[in-house]
Amino acid sequence: MTDPIKTLCPYCGVGCGLEVLPPATSGKPVSRDKQGTPIWQARGDRAHPSSQGMVCVKGATITESLHKDRLLYPMVRDSLKEPFRRATWDEALGRVVDRIQTVRATQGADALCMYGSGQFNTEDYYVAQKLMKGFLGTNNFDANSRLCMSSAVAGYVQSFGADGPPCCYDDLDLTDCAFLIGTNTAECHPIIFNRLRKHHKQNKHVKLIVVDPRKTQTADAADLHLAIKPGTDIDLLNGLAYLLLYRGYLDSVFVSKHTNHFTAFAEVIEDYKPELVAKRCGISVEDLETAARYWGESKRVLSMWSMGINQSSEGTAKVRSIINLHLMTGQIGKPGAGPFSLTGQPNAMGGREAGGLSHLLPGYRSVKNTQHRAEVEQFWGLEPGQISPEPGRTAWEMITGLEEGAVGLLWIAATNPVVSLPDLERTKRALLRSPFTVYQEAYYPTETSAYAHVLLPAAQWSEAPGTMTNSERRVTLCPQFRTPPGEARADWVIFAEVARRLGFSKPFTFNGAADVHAEFVQLTRGRPCDMTGLSHDRLRYEGPLQWPCTKGEDEGNSIQTEKGRFRFPSFMRNPQKLSASRLAAKRLYIDRQFHTPDGRARFSAYHSRGLAEPPDDSHPYVLTTGRLYGHWHTQTRTGRVDKIRHMYDGPFIEIHPRDAAAIGIENGAWLEVRSRRGSARFPAKVTTAIAPKTVFVPMHWGALWAANAEANALTHPEACPDSHQPELKACAVQLVPISTDIITSEATPVEGLNPLASTLSV
Ligand code: SF4
């Protein structure tokens, strides 16, 4: 019997444990996909503390996507009008290095940009930071987490003094009241929802409040669904705060001992009387009062949110308004309670730890902080002042930088911005102007590969070892168990090779991913995300562990070898036999000490500015975008899994029956959706699940998978001033019925993929 290999699902931030088995195991037929290719098998890992054996369809089918449409060799071309031709690694990296040197000499380091991914391992993130922010001296590294979690990061930092979700998944089983706002957890974080739903069903006193303009599967399970109008989240949250204050639910001891700025907050919420709030939000006063009562009467309140809060031009203010409710009622730092952001990407958390946004440095440090820069410069052996004190370009600022001619090299890795960035027509036009784009990716084609001058084949999950951190701050080692196809290399290996070719040999000579990790965790020492007690060896032998995890913590049963590595006796390799203390879930702020200079959390006081682009007479509907259960983001993997493709007929638009009647269409009729930036076409799904005057489109279909169905052709790049996260969740649109004759005569999706008709020529 072959022992399964333990790893982590590489799709979403829930971070479910997987066990994988090779295609051929004794006594069983060889596992194959529908095309007959032998594939590894995946199943839930019952010993993984985060998921306890559960997986959703994405995790269960991940192995079907690993071998299809892979980019096998480096490819180059001199202009976007030419086809790619195969190159050696030496030639391809030579081009990249030459270009970096030229740009540094002619435009300066700030003309170099890298756009990375929450799909990176932490080790990939770390080496990229060391190269870009350290040795090249530009903070122009951003990641697709900018589109996903940056408002949560900014909210935590401003309210608590440091990033880091305070809660853990055990809180799902312990809460008395779950307040879900801006998250369709049932579809987007299904394993978290399953666990919460089970607790909710088994305990009659537990209340589930869901705030969402759509009646999602999550809302279907709620005791109370508040279908607020898009953009009224802060009104609702301030209205709840008003009621909590005036109905006697204030925890005045917690507020006076552990917080600041309550008075300013109380003055602001004076303006949020129930009648006004109910009217603005489009809900009843009774429902608002019920929500406040559920929260106020519960001993333990857990709030959860995701993109519906973060992807907003006031995302940070929304996050802080949620946190305000926890602070005023003392609902933090105890089991079953706290504000809990649900992370999108599988390792967006690891990216935050490693400094993977343009204003961050490793170990939850900021580029703006003089001491933080000095600590990192010293650790990396750099001259003082080498790290820039200015935040680098965010993802969208890289696009505007291309427009301005200020970007000389754009290096995109493990992400697909030609589907996921806002205002896609503008994004594409900017990418066409790029003088030199490197695209480092596991798959070919993606929508973005059409815009690259150099393609670098990346090894993906299963082909390179590394660590990932999930939403509850639990770090899992993802071992290599397959050989990378063709000439694909791990992302960090590529970054390190470029660094060495640039002359930074010694700092970028690593003896494998474990060595990179060992260096990285040193930079977390004494920081809120201290991981100095973690290593690849410890994670391999002991299983997934949460941070903070300082050196020496919980290592009582380990054996330290002369090389400093941990070897556990065989009976200890089963995490279920490890001591309860080691497996006990960790929460932040149980001592009520926050990471601010005085140890107190900070209230914030905001009036909502509403949507950046509210509906008006010419564009009278609000478009909101989101995800579906089966697909993951831009379908680079899930679009290649038969079972998942067959779950959905294709893209669609949800519209309320009243709006459908007003424009004279029936279920299945086609609509052209027009915003001020672009248009897209979808068949209508007429449903009361969506509020009147609001329409919903899934974000998964780029040009590779459907013609004219890009949700982000419609969205705008207006962003939160603090987090710089664009408001992908709402824009104003027109709806125009169109004939199906037009649809059937249009180009097929694949023909629509590449406006420059680039091809691989091997
Ligand atoms: Fe993977 Fe997320 Fe599904 Fe878990 S919930 S199996 S991490 S996609």
Side-chain angles (χ1 to χ4, degrees):
M1 176 72 187
T2 311
D3 280 340
I5 294 163
K6 290 179 182 293
T7 183
L8 188 80
C9 172
Y11 277 116
C12 89
V14 178
C16 298
L18 292 183
E19 289 185 338
V20 288
L21 287 152
T25 50
S26 73
K28 291 196 172 173
V30 174
S31 169
R32 298 179 189 276
D33 66 7
K34 279 207 169 146
Q35 291 72 37
T37 308
I39 55 168
W40 284 67
Q41 307 156 64
R43 66 188 185 204
D45 175 8
R46 289 174 185 275
H48 197 289
S50 294
S51 50
Q52 303 168 354
M54 295 183 279
V55 282
C56 76
V57 68
K58 295 187 284 292
T61 57
I62 174 66
T63 56
E64 288 180 42
S65 69
L66 301 178
H67 57 285
K68 295 175 181 165
D69 297 336
R70 294 298 301 274
L71 178 61
L72 300 175
Y73 312 104
M75 297 280 170
V76 298
R77 57 180 170 181
D78 293 326
S79 85
L80 298 186
K81 292 182 179 149
E82 298 173 14
F84 285 110
R85 66 172 174 80
R86 183 174 170 179
T88 62
W89 270 106
D90 190 51
E91 182 191 355
L93 292 184
R95 283 186 177 223
V96 175
V97 168
D98 285 350
R99 183 72 197 176
I100 291 174
Q101 299 286 37
T102 301
V103 171
R104 285 173 90 196
T106 57
Q107 292 177 272
D110 279 335
L112 304 169
C113 292
M114 185 182 286
Y115 183 45
S117 170
Q119 299 276 332
F120 276 169
N121 287 328
T122 302
E123 292 77 0
D124 305 319
Y125 264 118
Y126 175 70
V127 177
Q129 305 318 301
K130 190 172 179 180
L131 172 60
M132 294 295 291
K133 294 175 182 171
F135 285 78
L136 289 175
T138 174
N139 291 327
N140 290 343
F141 178 100
D142 213 38
N144 52 17
S145 307
R146 180 68 65 186
L147 309 179
C148 175
M149 292 311 301
S150 51
S151 294
V153 174
Y156 286 138
V157 170
Q158 291 181 10
S159 292
F160 300 145
D163 186 17
C167 307
C168 58
Y169 294 160
D170 281 6
D171 293 328
L172 299 164
D173 307 331
L174 298 168
T175 192
D176 301 312
C177 176
F179 180 80
L180 274 53
I181 179 166
T183 165
N184 181 6
T185 323
E187 293 203 65
C188 302
H189 296 91
I191 302 310
I192 283 182
F193 185 75
N194 289 354
R195 194 161 163 184
L196 178 65
R197 185 78 179 113
K198 189 172 165 198
H199 172 63
H200 180 229
K201 274 185 177 166
Q202 288 176 347
N203 296 278
K204 294 285 174 233
H205 77 283
V206 173
K207 300 300 183 196
L208 176 58
I209 306 169
V210 174
V211 183
D212 196 313
R214 294 173 68 213
K215 194 164 191 331
T216 60
Q217 288 180 30
T218 313
D220 276 340
D223 297 296
L224 179 64
H225 173 210
L226 302 176
I228 62 169
K229 292 180 193 165
T232 60
D233 309 75
I234 291 177
D235 295 312
L236 175 79
L237 294 162
N238 284 350
L240 288 173
Y242 177 96
L243 287 170
L244 289 168
L245 180 61
Y246 288 103
R247 299 291 185 269
Y249 298 119
L250 183 74
D251 185 338
S252 51
V253 175
F254 183 93
V255 169
S256 66
K257 285 178 75 174
H258 304 298
T259 70
N260 279 327
H261 311 313
F262 178 74
T263 306
F265 170 63
E267 279 173 18
V268 164
I269 62 173
E270 274 298 313
D271 292 345
Y272 290 82
K273 302 208 168 37
E275 292 73 20
L276 176 83
V277 170
K279 190 168 172 219
R280 276 193 198 159
C281 296
I283 59 173
S284 69
V285 171
E286 187 186 6
D287 280 353
L288 183 66
E289 294 264 8
T290 302
R293 183 163 48 80
Y294 284 172
W295 185 303
E297 291 182 353
S298 298
K299 282 191 184 146
R300 300 158 172 196
V301 183
L302 184 68
S303 63
M304 285 174 273
W305 74 91
S306 188
M307 303 316 138
I309 291 293
N310 294 331
Q311 289 179 339
S312 164
S313 58
E314 47 187 9
T316 306
K318 288 181 181 178
V319 169
R320 296 198 70 190
S321 297
I322 296 170
I323 292 172
N324 285 340
L325 300 183
H326 286 271
L327 295 179
M328 71 186 294
T329 53
Q331 292 288 356
I332 186 168
K334 61 184 185 181
F340 197 0
S341 56
L342 302 180
T343 314
Q345 299 262 11
N347 197 34
M349 286 285 291
R352 285 146 73 169
E353 294 150 11
L357 288 170
S358 61
H359 61 296
L360 300 178
L361 289 170
Y364 276 8
R365 290 178 174 88
S366 165
V367 299
K368 288 191 192 168
N369 185 303
T370 307
Q371 185 183 338
H372 289 179
R373 291 195 308 278
E375 288 165 356
V376 178
E377 284 163 352
Q378 187 180 27
F379 184 81
W380 283 342
L382 300 169
E383 292 292 318
Q386 168 72 10
I387 297 176
S388 168
E390 298 299 324
R393 289 183 181 275
T394 64
W396 185 252
E397 287 166 348
M398 292 179 190
I399 296 300
T400 58
L402 289 170
E403 291 174 337
E404 295 156 4
V407 174
L409 176 145
L410 175 62
W411 191 340
I412 303 168
T415 188
N416 194 9
V418 176
V419 183
S420 54
L421 281 181
D423 197 350
L424 275 185
E425 290 312 311
R426 185 172 165 191
T427 295
K428 291 173 188 174
R429 281 197 302 274
L431 287 168
L432 288 176
R433 294 186 58 182
S434 173
F436 194 88
T437 299
V438 182
Y439 189 37
Q440 185 168 310
E441 172 58 60
Y443 290 89
Y444 183 90
T446 76
E447 288 82 350
T448 301
S449 45
Y451 296 84
H453 298 86
V454 174
L455 296 175
L456 300 178
Q460 62 164 320
W461 174 85
S462 78
E463 297 160 3
T467 54
M468 292 199 186
T469 310
N470 71 7
S471 289
E472 65 165 350
R473 310 179 317 284
R474 192 176 295 280
V475 183
T476 301
L477 177 67
C478 304
Q480 178 182 351
F481 58 89
R482 295 169 62 252
T483 305
E487 296 178 2
R489 296 179 180 177
D491 290 294
W492 74 263
V493 170
I494 300 170
F495 299 144
E497 173 67 19
V498 168
R500 289 193 296 272
R501 285 171 179 246
L502 286 165
F504 314 127
S505 286
K506 196 157 173 247
F508 287 89
T509 300
F510 296 102
N511 188 23
D515 201 19
V516 175
H517 184 265
E519 179 178 309
F520 158 63
V521 296
Q522 297 311 312
L523 268 172
T524 68
R525 186 183 309 282
R527 302 294 304 155
C529 59
D530 195 322
M531 284 180 267
T532 47
L534 299 183
S535 66
H536 277 213
D537 276 349
R538 186 174 183 197
L539 292 165
R540 181 177 302 113
Y541 289 121
E542 201 167 342
L545 291 165
Q546 281 181 294
W547 63 254
C549 185
T550 54
K551 185 78 184 149
E553 183 187 353
D554 288 340
E555 292 174 354
N557 292 324
S558 64
I559 299 167
Q560 196 160 8
T561 68
E562 64 284 358
K563 290 184 179 172
R565 292 182 175 179
F566 294 95
R567 289 233 179 95
F568 290 86
S570 58
F571 75 89
M572 300 225 24
R573 293 179 193 175
N574 180 349
Q576 286 170 324
K577 293 185 181 174
L578 290 174
S579 67
S581 68
R582 180 169 294 126
L583 292 178
K586 290 178 180 173
R587 295 173 185 85
L588 304 183
Y589 310 126
I590 49 176
D591 58 358
R592 311 284 201 264
Q593 285 301 301
F594 297 91
H595 293 292
T596 51
D598 62 4
R600 289 166 173 259
R602 303 171 183 129
F603 278 97
S604 54
Y606 295 100
H607 293 295
S608 175
R609 300 187 305 275
L611 297 177
E613 188 181 65
D616 57 19
D617 288 346
S618 73
H619 294 78
Y621 297 90
V622 176
L623 169 76
T624 186
T625 64
R627 294 197 271 133
L628 305 174
Y629 169 69
H631 276 305
W632 178 251
H633 287 189
T634 67
Q635 299 196 51
T636 304
R637 283 194 186 116
T638 54
R640 293 171 165 106
V641 176
D642 293 332
K643 183 173 180 180
I644 293 177
R645 285 192 77 173
H646 293 146
M647 287 171 68
Y648 303 99
D649 293 334
F652 58 86
I653 183 167
E654 282 185 2
I655 180 171
H656 191 274
R658 198 189 304 167
D659 295 329
I663 57 176
I665 61 146
E666 295 185 343
N667 197 47
W670 281 78
L671 282 175
E672 181 163 291
V673 186
R674 297 175 185 164
S675 76
R676 290 182 174 86
R677 294 152 295 278
S679 65
R681 293 171 172 181
F682 308 95
K685 189 182 275 189
V686 180
T687 171
T688 54
I690 189 85
K693 289 292 179 189
T694 303
V695 290
F696 167 81
V697 164
M699 55 80 71
H700 302 296
W701 277 271
L704 185 57
W705 306 105
N708 300 321
E710 296 160 313
N712 284 322
L714 304 158
T715 55
H716 62 70
E718 291 302 312
C720 170
D722 291 334
S723 69
H724 303 282
Q725 181 158 357
E727 189 161 272
L728 293 168
K729 278 288 176 187
C731 66
V733 296
Q734 305 168 338
L735 303 177
V736 180
I738 51 172
S739 158
T740 48
D741 297 343
I742 297 175
I743 301 302
T744 49
S745 66
E746 282 183 338
T748 63
V750 173
E751 283 170 351
L753 167 67
N754 188 342
L756 297 165
S758 69
T759 54
L760 280 177
S761 157
V762 182

